[in-house]
Each structure stands twice: as structure tokens, then as C-alpha cells.
Amino acid sequence: MGLNVRVKTLILGGTNEGRDLAELLVTDGHEVITSLAGRVRRPARIAGEVRVGGFGGANGMAAWLVGNGINRVVDATHPFAEQISTNAVAACRSTGTPLLRISRPSWASHPLADTWTWVASHDEASREAAGYEKVLLTVGKQSLDHYRNLPDVAARMVELPEEPLPGSWRPLLERGPFTVDSEKELLRDLGVDVLVTKDSGGSLTEAKLTAAADLGVRVIMVRRVPVPKDVPQVATPREALAWVNEVPA
């Protein structure tokens, strides 16, 4: 491992990248705690220790980092888990704890990106989608409230939200990866004329974008909030492992 001290790393997880990094770190001899928000009732197995729940804001996280002897923090949350990422930046700055962000590559460089309608927020996406008849939402259950004004919606998510969905909506409880063929079949069966999604990046759910293009379905894409310039970023768990090993203790 090349370290003279035992390194204790906190992973802000809930993604495949977070799970893969935990496995790499444990195998490499690190002490690892992965923190999950607790929004998914049955998360996949994760190597090392796991905690579930919030920290009580940035100050609460800062106190938790100090109280638990954390030497490094890796933010491997979803690109749209904005609040926890913002809190991590503030907590790590106040405690002097090195912070790394695993940033799944954006779809901004996707070959089809110029054909999509890019918007800055879910509210803007909802206003754009109001001009279409049948909407497929793939924005996750946490963002559905922004779209309740839309009458004819199929909403794909892993689990139902706590608040009941509008009676005219059709929930689709599914977890990727998906294929282009299965996505085309879904779009055809539902009669979708616009897909509303967010710039999650990666390949796990990319097939819907190709399927939409093939069928002439419009795409409304919600942009990510930029990562602060002083937070280093990598694209893969293996790069994150190298960073953990290289950052001075």
C-alpha cells in the first residue's frame, strides 16, 4: 500500500462507483466506512463498514469526521446528490480533511448531445415537457415533485416515493442496466413523445438515449451542478484508490 499510517476513509456512497471503491480499498488494507442516505431499503452488499442516515448538515458532518478519525473523504454519490456533496465540501474545508469527487463522465460529450434540449433545473424541464402529450420521466423518485403538473406520465424509479403519485401517472419500478432494444420497446408500448432525464452519465442507463433518437422521441436533459474547482476529480474507483494512497497523511 505504501503508507506508513493506517488510513481511514469515508466514502459517501450509494452508487456502483462507491461500492467498487469500497471493495478496492478493503482489499488494499484500508479501513473504510461507506455512508448511505438510506433512501433504498435493500442496498447491495458493500465491503467494509456501512453507516446509514444523514450527518445533520455540514457542521454535523465535520464533527463526525473528527470524532471518527477520518483521514480522507471520497464523494462517490450520484451526480445529482447535490446537498450531501455541498455539505462534504464545507465539512472537509473546515476540518482540513482531503476530499475527492468521483465524477461519472457527463453525457455532454455524447454524440447525440446536440439534439437534446438542455435545461438548468427540474422546474425548467417540467415547463418544457408540458408541451408534449406522453412523458417518460427517468429523474429518480427524489425529483418527481417538480413534475406533478404533468398529466400523462410514466415515471421510472427503483422504489416508490413516500408521497403518493398522481392517479394519472404510471410508475415503472425497474433498475438498470437496460438495452437499446428493451428501451425502444418501452417507448413504443407507452407511446412516449418526450423523455425527461438528467445528466447522470455513464453507461448503465445510456441505452434510453439511443432508443429515443432511433424512434424520434425528444429528450429533455437536466444539467449537473458544477463541482467546485478546488475539489479534485477522477472518473473511476481505481483512480480514487490511487488518490487515497498518494495524498499525504
Side-chain angles (χ1 to χ4, degrees):
M1 183 166 60
L3 294 170
N4 296 321
V5 296
R6 186 172 180 82
V7 171
K8 191 172 185 180
T9 301
L10 172 68
I11 300 172
L12 303 175
T15 59
N16 290 337
E17 292 90 344
R19 287 190 292 274
D20 291 347
L21 177 59
E23 190 72 40
L24 288 170
L25 287 171
V26 168
T27 300
D28 206 43
H30 291 273
E31 188 174 354
V32 180
I33 302 174
T34 296
S35 180
L36 303 176
R39 295 192 179 105
V40 176
R41 285 187 287 273
R42 287 189 288 272
R45 188 198 70 83
I46 301 173
E49 184 180 341
V50 176
R51 71 175 296 276
V52 178
F55 293 93
N59 291 338
M61 185 185 292
W64 192 94
L65 295 177
V66 173
N68 287 272
I70 299 299
N71 307 107
R72 315 274 190 276
V73 177
V74 179
D75 182 358
T77 57
H78 190 277
F80 283 81
E82 296 165 9
Q83 189 59 61
I84 187 66
S85 294
T86 298
N87 290 346
V89 170
C92 288
R93 283 174 180 165
S94 68
T95 59
T97 307
L99 170 66
L100 177 75
R101 170 75 186 174
I102 299 181
S103 290
R104 189 183 302 166
S106 167
W107 284 329
S109 58
H110 193 282
L112 296 169
D114 289 343
T115 69
W116 307 330
T117 299
W118 289 84
V119 296
S121 68
H122 288 289
D123 287 335
E124 186 178 351
S126 179
R127 291 192 294 271
E128 288 284 343
Y132 295 86
E133 291 185 7
K134 182 68 176 187
V135 180
L136 174 61
L137 290 179
T138 64
V139 297
K141 69 177 184 179
Q142 302 300 319
S143 303
L144 293 179
D145 283 349
H146 298 274
Y147 300 91
R148 288 180 178 270
N149 61 299
L150 302 176
D152 196 354
V153 169
R156 184 161 68 193
M157 66 205 86
V158 176
E159 296 176 346
L160 289 171
E162 293 183 3
E163 292 295 322
L165 297 175
S168 62
W169 284 25
R170 177 177 175 179
L172 305 171
L173 301 183
E174 301 174 324
R175 186 193 298 268
F178 305 101
T179 67
V180 173
D181 286 343
S182 68
E183 295 289 66
K184 288 170 75 170
E185 182 179 1
L186 176 68
L187 293 172
R188 285 196 196 99
D189 289 349
L190 295 175
V192 170
D193 58 353
V194 66
L195 165 67
V196 181
T197 190
K198 55 191 182 183
D199 183 16
S200 301
S203 60
L204 192 66
T205 59
E206 181 184 5
K208 63 191 173 188
L209 304 174
T210 302
D214 287 350
L215 297 178
V217 173
R218 301 299 300 175
V219 174
I220 298 172
M221 183 72 68
V222 181
R223 295 185 186 277
R224 301 179 183 181
V225 173
V227 176
K229 292 182 179 180
D230 61 339
V231 176
Q233 301 179 63
V234 296
T236 68
R238 194 159 292 279
E239 290 174 295
L241 169 66
W243 177 85
V244 170
N245 282 331
E246 292 169 1
V247 173

